[in-house]
Amino acid sequence: QRSLVGSEMCIRDRLIRGNIMTNSKINSKRINIFIIMIVIAFIISSYIFTPYSKNYSVEVQNPNRKMIALTFDDGPSDYTQTLLDGLNQKGAKATFFVLGKKAVKNASVLKNIVADGHLLGNHTYTHIDMLKTNKGTIKEQIYSTNKVIKEITGTDVKFYRPPYGHYFGNTLNAIDDMIAVKWTNDSIDWKHQDEDYVYNYIVNKAHDGEILLLHDTKQTTVKAALRAIDTLQSQGYSFVRVDELLCRNGDKLAPGIAYRGCKMNKKPTWF
């Protein structure tokens, strides 16, 4: 009888453990489904609540070549002119997402960026976090920087990069006449201020259609980028502006979307 009772208890314990494991698996699946639904809802809301009017394009010469867009944030700085000189010598183009407060102090460098054929972008006036800022302040930060750039260079700014890469769909929509740009790869060069590290990162991560995040505020980055350009040009890469990369396949761009890259014969990637 004791043996029978013991067997019943063992069976009951196994059933309980089995139920617990089953419930755990069900809960795990539910969590995964919930996460997937959130991602899908985010994508759908981007379409529904975005002023999805594709109205910006540029003509790109020889689009069927390996392209990389180098982007430099947080400048202009004391090292930006050295970078411009190097880019000019190598026949490479880049995009500069500048801060309004630094643009005011570096007017001559700002003019040289435009004169050398590079693309000027907006990185807000003081590097705000858009996730922690209301729409009114976001607009003020963006449009005050646009005004500074326009007064110094005569250029109308069409592209901007949210600082830290932080944004919601509604924060992008607050700037409904400009195009947001994120990146494919982030060198984290502000942390790894080592020329060889940044050089190896650029070269090892290089691929067609890439938008690479760098900072012209770091001397190590400027030196590494110029070295990497030589290496990658020898491998057949061309260095172009962000607008050229994104429009290479004849696509038009829309405000309210954050673009991340564009490979040959593919649509621009965004999220």
Side-chain angles (χ1 to χ4, degrees), residues 2 17-18 45-46 65 77 86 102 108 111 119 123 139 154 164 194 222 224-225 235 251 253 259 270:
R2 287 180 180 177
R17 285 196 297 269
S45 67
S46 294
R65 52 189 164 128
S77 78
K102 291 188 178 180
S108 61
K111 291 178 181 178
L119 182 66
H123 202 41
K139 287 184 175 182
Y164 311 104
D194 178 283
V222 170
Q235 298 175 14
D251 294 286
L253 308 179
Y259 291 94
W270 59 271

Side-chain angles (χ1 to χ4, degrees), residues 106-153:
N106 295 276
S108 61
V109 176
L110 208 67
K111 291 178 181 178
N112 290 339
I113 290 174
V114 175
D116 288 349
H118 304 293
L119 182 66
L120 262 180
N122 188 321
H123 202 41
T124 74
Y125 201 88
T126 60
H127 207 276
I128 60 169
D129 187 337
M130 289 187 174
L131 293 185
K132 302 176 181 178
T133 311
N134 61 58
K135 286 186 178 181
T137 303
I138 291 173
K139 287 184 175 182
E140 181 183 355
Q141 285 268 328
I142 291 290
Y143 291 122
S144 61
T145 301
N146 281 357
K147 182 180 178 182
V148 167
I149 294 172
K150 176 74 171 181
E151 289 175 349
I152 294 173
T153 68

